[in-house]
Amino acid sequence: MQRALPFLPRLAHATKIAQTLATPLVVNQVRCNSDDTTAKTTSKVPSLPVCCGDGPMLIEVEAGKRVSWCSCGLSATQPLCDGAHKGTEFKPIRFIPEDSGTLAFCMCKKTLTPPFCDGSHNK
């Protein structure tokens, strides 16, 4: 009489896990193969912007000079856009101020009144 080997169910489970790990993973909207270091966007699900601060940043603006506010949080020149959003679904908020002065730009990227701070970082 043959006995069932106790490790066979575990072997089948391990095989299933190995097959799952061999498939491309979708993490944070970027598809990564374990043997491929290049990343490709594969998802249409919107991601969240990167929070860059817990309060507004005051910036002097000139009347008639275009301002581009970073909406993704990836820019190295926060709160202004430097083009780091390329390849994401984010686009900068652009406007031309009518008057010169100091404006409070949102840094947490949660504002309901972009590009200006509305206190959402306190909620």
Side-chain angles (χ1 to χ4, degrees):
M1 174 178 178
Q2 272 189 326
R3 266 182 37 193
L5 299 175
F7 63 86
L8 284 180
R10 288 183 291 192
L11 180 61
H13 183 70
T15 302
K16 178 74 172 164
I17 291 172
Q19 289 170 345
T20 302
L21 292 175
T23 60
L25 302 174
V26 177
V27 180
N28 220 7
Q29 299 186 49
V30 176
R31 177 178 162 179
C32 300
N33 290 325
S34 58
D35 61 340
D36 185 10
T37 57
T38 60
K40 300 169 191 150
T41 301
T42 59
S43 176
K44 297 290 183 187
V45 178
S47 63
L48 297 174
V50 175
C51 178
C52 299
D54 60 357
M57 181 175 282
L58 302 177
I59 301 284
E60 288 288 325
V61 297
E62 291 180 40
K65 185 176 179 185
R66 184 175 78 169
V67 176
S68 297
W69 175 73
C70 171
S71 65
C72 68
L74 300 175
S75 174
T77 59
Q78 288 296 328
L80 305 177
C81 177
D82 68 359
H85 63 274
K86 302 245 188 300
T88 72
E89 72 272 14
F90 294 100
K91 297 196 180 332
I93 305 290
R94 293 185 170 112
F95 69 98
I96 299 173
E98 293 179 6
D99 300 316
S100 294
T102 304
L103 298 177
F105 286 92
C106 174
M107 293 294 287
C108 73
K109 311 302 179 187
K110 297 176 188 173
T111 182
L112 299 177
T113 59
F116 308 110
C117 178
D118 66 358
S120 291
H121 56 275
N122 291 321
K123 297 175 186 167

